[in-house]
Amino acid sequence: TPENGAMIRDIVAVGDQLTILRDRGVPVLWRPMHEFTGNWFWWGMSGPDAFKALWIFMYKYYTFERKLDNLIWVLGYTKDVHASYYPGREYVDIAGADIYVDDHGPLSEMFGAVKAVVGDTVPICLHENGPIPDPDKLVPDAHGLYFMTWHSEFISDGKRNSTEQINRYFNSERYITKDEIAPSFKPA
């Protein structure tokens, strides 16, 4: 179909860009087709079987045909985590979900839902969030790999993440920040 042709062209074009990163030694947290359990992106609208077939196709193409060994495959649910969309351990390096709640809460429900799907074999992240998780409220066994606060108003409006909260959270012993991992890191 024309839609299939357009999708393949896009996958190839993106692969060309990912190849440049591979050749420069850049690892990529690759989060394709995120929020697939929602109904707002085409890749999730046809249900779990179609989504898994597309994920596995892309994984095999990039991994085996394009030899993109720099991709860390991140499976990104919405807040609605359904096991039926899980393509399998061999195709996923990290799994997580989106949470845009306003209470900076413990995130135990999201963490537990993802863990129920992937077990102890896949690290779990909070791949999109609005308010930054309060490190003092996180449950002890919810050891998320990382979180990614969405841009613009979630950082700058002072309501969802106040300056005081941001400073306190990022100075917490629970969170490791870029300067602690690589103090001499300089963006290219």
Side-chain angles (χ1 to χ4, degrees):
T1 65
E3 292 83 5
N4 181 270
M7 180 191 70
I8 297 299
R9 280 189 304 277
D10 287 350
I11 288 173
V12 170
V14 170
D16 293 342
Q17 300 304 308
L18 292 169
T19 299
I20 293 168
L21 295 173
R22 182 205 59 205
D23 293 347
R24 292 182 180 169
V26 178
V28 176
L29 286 169
W30 179 240
R31 192 175 63 119
M33 303 175 296
H34 70 299
E35 298 179 350
F36 49 85
T37 50
N39 62 2
W40 45 91
F41 292 123
W42 65 266
W43 49 81
M45 289 181 179
S46 294
D49 292 336
F51 170 78
K52 288 187 296 190
L54 179 58
W55 181 278
I56 292 168
F57 168 79
M58 183 184 293
Y59 179 93
K60 287 180 176 179
Y61 173 70
Y62 285 155
T63 302
F64 301 117
E65 192 169 327
R66 297 298 294 259
K67 309 281 190 239
L68 295 172
D69 58 1
N70 61 322
L71 303 182
I72 302 166
W73 289 78
V74 181
L75 185 70
Y77 289 93
T78 65
K79 65 179 178 62
D80 300 315
V81 178
H82 300 287
S84 59
Y85 283 82
Y86 186 51
R89 174 62 187 99
E90 63 269 33
Y91 305 110
V92 176
D93 298 312
I94 299 171
D98 287 2
I99 297 286
Y100 284 90
V101 296
D102 286 331
D103 67 356
H104 301 267
L107 302 177
S108 55
E109 187 174 324
M110 181 280 298
F111 185 85
V114 176
K115 187 172 182 169
V117 174
V118 302
D120 291 324
T121 65
V122 176
I124 298 171
C125 70
L126 176 55
H127 74 84
E128 275 185 37
N129 59 280
I132 298 168
D134 184 337
D136 296 332
K137 292 182 181 178
L138 293 174
V139 292
D141 62 341
H143 298 293
L145 185 60
Y146 64 85
F147 61 87
M148 181 180 70
T149 302
W150 202 238
H151 58 82
S152 60
E153 74 269 8
F154 290 105
I155 295 294
S156 62
D157 74 357
K159 297 174 192 167
R160 292 176 183 92
N161 295 294
S162 70
T163 301
E164 182 275 325
Q165 286 172 316
I166 292 170
N167 286 330
R168 184 168 62 84
Y169 295 173
F170 284 141
N171 285 302
S172 164
E173 290 296 316
R174 178 113 189 209
Y175 295 153
I176 300 171
T177 55
K178 180 180 68 176
D179 62 311
E180 295 171 297
I181 293 172
S184 63
F185 176 79
K186 301 266 189 289

